[in-house]
């Protein structure tokens, strides 16, 4: 069967779903194709901190009802080292906040809104293949329920993640990948216990990084630094809580323990492509870039991409192609700033066990302590951190 639309969006994660809403509100026809089942998409547990710009965009488009009900507004973060905890107050420093709201909840709400609108979202679309993207009228070929479908469109948007098909369809020589793999990972847990902190805690400890986040007033999200090749089977609940108590502990404060409902180990890497456009195909979100989670930038970067891309598509329909021509350069200009911040936070807060020489490891650790002492003791340094953590503007000229 042959169909047609204006924008074929591949991927029903936050980038694809959000772009669909931005287009729907401007009456731009679109179809979203997703390889996984609806249940799989709703079950993916990912990031949980929204920048001020992401919150504002959702509010601007009337997509913040669940966020307003369930989101937790935070005025800053804590940086902890050598047994001392220091608050970085974003409101005082830059007049902005962040909101803890899980990606899983955002996807659920955006998908429910698409259901309400009657949007064309196809789950379990198999063998998806964009073709003819270098021409004037691309086609996306896919299989649904054993039948081959062809979706003709004006533009293809690859919001299908790091392992998706879109980036891989760009010919050799048409794209370059820049990547860094980190020598540590995060063991993350969800626990049915109220958070023991009002703002997120980032802790440098001699044993490794520790972090206290949350998903709601009843559910805590916590992390410890581990080797990326460790097995989750080697980490009992008791061992995890012991590591968290050690790395997050300070005098006069208590970490409350509770039942662990989910645990996993995630390797960490940085990844950016040289271009987010090939002909009439545009990449967005994890298809074009990935950051280590330390700076809470992955979900927000995806939202920033589609905010920029939606505006460019609307301008195109009004006769102005300059936004589409500049989309890749503008998105990547913002992304490289985000990458440096995420890398800076990651290098500063993780113990570098991979350094082979004991003296060099000790030097590295002491220099990180010095770095944290500078950041927490300098108004200018804290202001810079707050500006970047609360979020850079979504557009880059």
């Amino acid at each position: 069967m042959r169909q047609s639309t204006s924008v074929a969006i591949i991927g029903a994660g936050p980038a694809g779903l959000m772009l669909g809403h931005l287009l729907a509100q401007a009456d731009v026809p679109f179809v979203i194709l997703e390889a996984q089942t609806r249940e799989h998409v709703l079950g993916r547990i990912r990031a949980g901190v929204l920048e001020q710009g992401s919150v504002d965009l959702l509010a601007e488009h009337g997509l913040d009802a669940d966020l307003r009900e369930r989101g937790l507004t935070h005025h800053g973060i804590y940086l902890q080292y050598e047994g001392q905890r220091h608050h970085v107050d974003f409101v005082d420093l830059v007049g902005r906040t962040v909101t803890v709201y899980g990606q899983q909840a955002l996807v659920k709400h955006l998908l429910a809104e698409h259901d309400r609108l009657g949007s064309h979202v196809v789950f379990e679309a198999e063998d998806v293949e964009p073709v003819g993207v270098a021409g004037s009228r691309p086609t996306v070929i896919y299989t649904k329920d054993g039948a081959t479908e062809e979706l003709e469109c004006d533009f293809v948007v690859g919001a299908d993640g790091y392992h998706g098909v879109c980036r891989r369809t760009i010919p050799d020589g048409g794209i370059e990948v820049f990547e860094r793999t980190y020598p540590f990972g995060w063991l993350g847990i969800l626990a049915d216990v109220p958070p023991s902190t009002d703002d997120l805690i980032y802790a440098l400890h001699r044993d490794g990084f520790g972090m206290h986040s949350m998903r709601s007033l009843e559910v805590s999200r916590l992390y410890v630094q581990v080797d990326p090749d460790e097995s989750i089977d080697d980490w009992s609940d008791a061992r995890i809580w012991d590591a968290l108590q050690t790395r997050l502990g300070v005098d006069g404060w208590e970490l409350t323990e509770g039942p662990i409902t989910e645990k996993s180990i995630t390797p960490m890497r940085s990844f950016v492509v040289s271009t987010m456009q090939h002909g009439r195909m545009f990449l967005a979100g994890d298809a074009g870039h990935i950051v280590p989670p330390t700076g809470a930038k992955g979900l927000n970067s995806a939202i920033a991409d589609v905010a920029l891309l939606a505006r460019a598509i609307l301008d195109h329909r009004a006769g102005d192609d300059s936004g589409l021509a500049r989309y890749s350069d503008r998105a990547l200009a913002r992304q490289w700033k985000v990458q440096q911040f995420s890398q800076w936070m990651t290098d500063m807060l993780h113990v570098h066990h991979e350094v082979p020489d004991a003296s060099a490891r000790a030097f590295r650790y002491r220099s990180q302590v010095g770095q944290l002492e500078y950041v927490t003791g300098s108004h200018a340094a804290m202001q810079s951190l707050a500006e970047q953590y609360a979020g850079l503007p979504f557009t880059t000229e």
Side-chain angles (χ1 to χ4, degrees):
M1 179 182 293
R2 191 170 185 86
Q3 310 168 60
S4 65
T5 191
S6 180
V7 183
I9 303 170
I10 302 177
L17 294 173
M18 186 67 194
L19 177 60
H21 278 294
L22 298 179
L23 297 177
Q25 292 187 6
D27 296 322
V28 178
F30 66 92
V31 175
I32 300 176
L33 304 175
E34 168 58 49
Q36 302 294 338
T37 65
R38 182 188 184 100
E39 293 71 26
H40 184 275
V41 169
L42 290 172
R44 289 187 290 220
I45 298 176
R46 295 290 189 272
V49 177
L50 290 179
E51 298 172 357
Q52 184 72 62
S54 296
V55 172
D56 292 345
L57 185 71
L58 290 165
E60 177 186 349
H61 293 276
L63 297 168
D64 64 334
D66 188 65
L67 171 65
R68 284 186 280 109
E69 180 179 345
R70 301 175 56 192
L72 304 176
T73 300
H74 285 244
H75 288 195
I77 61 172
Y78 292 102
L79 293 178
Q80 180 177 316
Y81 54 93
E82 299 295 275
Q84 300 294 317
R85 188 174 296 166
H86 304 263
H87 193 241
V88 181
D89 192 310
F90 298 165
V91 175
D92 285 349
L93 292 162
V94 294
R96 301 161 74 196
T97 62
V98 295
T99 302
V100 173
Y101 182 68
Q103 178 172 314
Q104 190 178 12
L106 177 61
V107 167
K108 181 179 179 181
H109 181 67
L110 293 178
L111 191 52
E113 286 295 294
H114 276 298
D115 290 342
R116 184 181 64 81
L117 294 173
S119 300
H120 193 176
V121 182
V122 181
F123 290 98
E124 298 180 81
E126 301 178 330
D127 304 320
V128 176
E129 181 185 7
V131 297
V133 297
S136 61
R137 190 71 175 161
T139 300
V140 179
I141 302 171
Y142 66 99
T143 302
K144 176 63 179 176
D145 297 329
T148 299
E149 307 280 355
E150 295 185 8
L151 180 62
E152 192 178 61
C153 55
D154 297 321
F155 303 107
V156 177
V157 176
D160 50 348
Y162 178 79
H163 297 289
V165 65
C166 289
R167 187 182 69 255
R168 300 200 306 270
T169 65
I170 299 177
D172 291 343
I175 191 169
E176 186 177 358
V177 170
F178 308 98
E179 196 163 10
R180 175 186 175 185
T181 301
Y182 294 84
F184 31 73
W186 276 12
L187 188 160
I189 66 167
L190 282 174
D192 284 342
V193 58
S196 303
T197 179
D198 54 344
D199 281 335
L200 279 65
I201 302 170
Y202 289 80
L204 172 68
H205 187 274
R206 293 176 186 274
D207 290 350
F209 171 75
M211 181 179 178
H212 190 329
S213 183
M214 63 281 292
R215 284 295 176 267
S216 69
L217 295 176
E218 298 80 30
V219 177
S220 294
R221 182 72 159 153
L222 303 108
Y223 302 92
V224 291
Q225 175 187 342
V226 297
D227 291 337
D229 56 354
E230 287 195 48
S231 170
I232 194 66
D233 296 333
D234 294 332
W235 284 84
S236 66
D237 291 3
R239 183 185 178 192
I240 293 171
W241 284 118
D242 182 62
L244 287 165
Q245 293 284 3
T246 298
R247 300 183 193 188
L248 294 173
V250 294
D251 291 341
W253 178 83
E254 182 178 352
L255 173 64
T256 305
E257 300 181 11
I260 295 176
T261 59
E262 190 270 341
K263 57 183 177 181
S264 60
I265 294 177
T266 303
M268 298 173 65
R269 67 177 180 274
S270 297
F271 157 83
V272 188
V273 294
S274 59
T275 180
M276 296 181 67
Q277 176 180 2
H278 179 68
R280 286 179 167 253
M281 182 174 72
F282 301 87
L283 304 180
D286 286 0
H289 44 72
I290 291 176
V291 292
T294 323
K297 294 301 166 200
L299 173 57
N300 295 288
S301 293
I303 294 174
D305 285 349
V306 297
L308 196 61
L309 183 55
R311 171 45 54 193
I313 291 172
L314 299 187
D315 288 346
H316 161 80
R317 293 173 69 86
D320 180 2
D321 283 340
S322 62
L324 288 175
R326 298 171 59 204
Y327 165 71
S328 179
D329 287 343
R330 295 173 75 188
L332 288 174
R334 185 183 191 278
Q335 179 56 208
W336 278 114
K337 295 181 180 71
V338 167
Q339 287 285 342
Q340 76 80 25
F341 176 71
S342 299
Q343 180 177 257
W344 174 73
M345 288 278 286
T346 300
D347 286 339
M348 179 172 63
L349 288 162
H350 289 75
V351 175
H352 295 264
H353 299 296
E354 79 281 2
V355 178
D357 179 72
S359 178
R361 283 198 307 273
F363 183 93
R364 181 68 177 267
Y365 177 82
R366 288 305 313 169
S367 69
Q368 290 170 246
V369 170
Q371 190 175 18
L372 283 161
E373 288 176 340
Y374 169 71
V375 170
T376 56
S378 164
H379 183 273
M382 286 193 293
Q383 192 171 48
S384 174
L385 188 157
E387 179 184 43
Q388 295 177 86
Y389 197 104
L392 300 174
F394 277 2
T395 58
T396 300
E397 296 300 333

